[in-house]
Amino acid sequence: KEGVHLDFYLQKGDNHQAIPNSKVTGQIQLPNGTQKNLTFKYDAEGKHYTVLLPEKASGQYQVRIIADVNGQKVNGRFSFKQ
């Protein structure tokens, strides 16, 4: 009801070990074309990064994730419909 909850799993190795203490940000393009910046926070219990996007508009969302892992940048892109 409050918006869209996004989870981002940042892992390494064959055993998919979680990578805490990284800076994870995102840029999202809303269905109306406007863009917003997001800052993900690490959920130690769930071993992933999370953010709440306070948007309820129906349509296609384009997401770009940027993770800074010890000075090395990792990018990811995905889209979803609401």
Side-chain angles (χ1 to χ4, degrees), residues 17-30:
Q17 179 182 359
I19 304 173
N21 303 319
S22 295
K23 181 180 178 185
V24 178
T25 58
Q27 296 174 330
I28 188 162
Q29 182 174 331
L30 306 177

Side-chain angles (χ1 to χ4, degrees), residues 13-78:
D14 292 337
N15 63 352
H16 304 286
Q17 179 182 359
I19 304 173
N21 303 319
S22 295
K23 181 180 178 185
V24 178
T25 58
Q27 296 174 330
I28 188 162
Q29 182 174 331
L30 306 177
N32 68 5
T34 60
Q35 293 193 11
K36 286 194 171 187
N37 294 319
L38 305 171
T39 302
F40 287 74
K41 295 189 181 200
Y42 189 70
D43 173 8
E45 185 177 325
K47 296 184 180 180
H48 67 282
Y49 293 84
T50 184
V51 69
L52 177 65
L53 173 65
E55 295 293 330
K56 299 177 186 176
S58 296
Q60 185 82 17
Y61 290 76
Q62 300 289 331
V63 183
R64 179 176 176 226
I65 304 289
I66 303 116
D68 185 329
V69 181
N70 298 323
Q72 184 177 18
K73 303 283 187 201
V74 179
N75 294 311
R77 294 177 186 263
F78 64 92

